Amino acid sequence: DPTQEQIEEAMWNENTKELFWDIKQNGLQDPILISEDFYVMEGNTRLCAFRHLYNQAKEKNNKEEMDKWRSIQCEMYPPGLDKLGMHIMLGKWHIKQKTPWDAFEKASFIKRLMKEFNKTKDQIAEDMNVKKTEIDKMLWVENLMTEQNVKNIKQYSHFEQCFQKQEIRKKIDNDPKFKGKIVKLVETGNIGRAENIRKLPKILNMKDDGITMLEKGIEFDKVYEKAVEENPEDNPLLKNMELMNKKFKKIDTIELFK
């Protein structure tokens, strides 16, 4: 098994370093959560940051700072709570309370409940007060990101848009090659903002291969503009103008001079 030092070294990434500086400047905002046998259920990153703060103070022989970071505030789960009960409570805190997880972390948590504790979607929806449709979306996105080994969990919102756009979701489900291309476009940033996913169907209907244009690094807005030019009847601006013209035609003529 890895030592505590090896675990902390593996955890010492950009997110932990960012938290390190935040705690150093502002103090601990949320206590860590432990079981009755002192197993850390939530807050390992905070604990890692605290230990680095203590070691930094120790290296400088700063006793005041060492005392400051020697211990960490914690809260204990109710005694006698089993592992499933701990996970359920943890999920409720993070999915609905003031310290929410990232969307990917929520999805991973729900998947873990199903895999490790054989919980059904109906049971999770009731326990977590989450809609089943939301669970379906979370699991779809989590499975896609895990399968494709997407490292940046902040890109969850891009794949969430893929799920919500039915045409894109079906194509991803049925076309492995297309799936790989979309994932790569998101990872490289070539697709731009998550909202751009909504515009992909128009790009897919271009005479030229719009996906290949994006893969070559052509800006998304330029590719989309070309797609709109090919199908001007779908241009939202033109549709609004057409609607306004129809409204004007319905207005009765009025007498200007009496």
Side-chain angles (χ1 to χ4, degrees):
D1 292 339
T3 64
Q4 185 64 47
E5 289 74 19
Q6 289 172 326
I7 293 173
E8 288 185 17
E9 184 178 352
M11 291 181 65
W12 190 242
N13 53 34
E14 290 303 316
N15 289 334
T16 309
K17 291 175 184 177
E18 185 177 326
L19 181 61
F20 169 92
W21 288 109
D22 183 66
I23 291 176
K24 186 171 185 176
Q25 294 172 4
N26 305 308
L28 184 68
Q29 301 300 309
D30 296 297
I32 65 173
L33 304 175
I34 61 173
S35 63
E36 58 183 321
D37 56 355
F38 299 99
Y39 178 78
V40 179
M41 293 294 296
E42 170 65 13
N44 281 298
T45 305
R46 278 165 276 168
L47 183 59
C48 179
F50 251 70
R51 283 180 168 151
H52 272 78
L53 285 164
Y54 176 80
N55 290 333
Q56 185 184 76
K58 187 177 180 180
E59 288 175 4
K60 296 178 180 178
N61 198 27
N62 187 327
K63 293 184 178 180
E64 183 179 350
E65 286 290 299
M66 287 170 64
D67 289 339
K68 183 177 181 180
W69 307 116
R70 188 184 301 276
S71 59
I72 186 170
Q73 184 183 0
C74 62
E75 291 182 358
M76 184 178 288
Y77 282 99
L81 199 63
D82 61 14
K83 189 176 180 182
L84 174 58
M86 290 181 185
H87 275 75
I88 294 295
M89 184 176 290
L90 187 62
K92 287 180 177 179
W93 282 338
H94 279 290
I95 290 176
K96 291 293 183 182
Q97 301 302 320
K98 63 179 181 179
T99 54
W101 277 326
D102 286 332
F104 181 82
E105 292 174 317
K106 293 178 185 177
S108 297
F109 173 79
I110 287 174
K111 185 177 180 180
R112 191 161 60 250
L113 285 179
M114 296 178 71
K115 191 173 182 179
E116 294 183 16
F117 300 100
N118 297 316
K119 299 286 281 185
T120 65
K121 292 179 185 178
D122 287 329
Q123 290 172 326
I124 294 172
E126 183 176 351
D127 289 340
M128 298 288 103
N129 193 24
V130 178
K131 294 180 180 179
K132 279 181 64 178
T133 52
E134 184 70 14
I135 292 175
D136 287 335
K137 180 183 68 179
M138 287 182 177
L139 292 175
W140 187 90
V141 175
E142 197 276 345
N143 285 334
L144 175 63
M145 294 179 68
T146 301
E147 173 197 295
Q148 296 294 314
N149 198 29
V150 177
K151 301 292 186 184
N152 186 358
I153 63 174
K154 300 295 184 184
Q155 292 175 332
Y156 180 98
S157 58
H158 287 76
F159 300 109
E160 185 178 47
Q161 290 291 335
C162 289
F163 177 88
Q164 292 173 337
K165 203 67 180 176
Q166 189 176 24
E167 181 179 343
I168 301 300
R169 183 174 79 242
K170 285 184 176 180
K171 195 166 178 62
I172 286 175
D173 287 339
N174 298 316
D175 187 343
K177 188 175 180 180
F178 176 78
K179 179 196 299 184
K181 288 188 174 190
I182 292 300
V183 169
K184 189 172 182 180
L185 286 172
V186 171
E187 288 185 308
T188 57
N190 287 12
I191 214 159
R193 303 181 305 275
E195 306 84 62
N196 286 343
I197 298 290
R198 303 173 196 167
K199 302 175 181 178
L200 273 181
K202 184 178 289 294
I203 289 177
L204 293 177
N205 292 327
M206 292 175 62
K207 294 176 182 177
D208 296 328
D209 189 344
I211 296 297
T212 298
M213 294 170 69
L214 292 173
E215 288 176 324
K216 290 180 179 179
I218 300 176
E219 290 181 14
F220 185 93
D221 289 342
K222 291 182 178 178
V223 177
Y224 182 69
E225 184 179 342
K226 183 175 175 60
V228 171
E229 287 175 358
E230 289 186 7
N231 298 283
E233 66 278 3
D234 293 330
N235 188 325
L237 179 60
L238 293 178
K239 282 186 176 180
N240 288 335
M241 291 175 63
E242 183 180 351
L243 182 62
M244 289 297 295
N245 284 335
K246 288 180 179 178
K247 287 183 177 180
F248 282 131
K249 288 177 183 177
K250 290 180 180 179
I251 297 176
D252 293 331
T253 58
I254 60 173
E255 189 175 353
L256 295 178
F257 302 101
K258 293 185 179 180

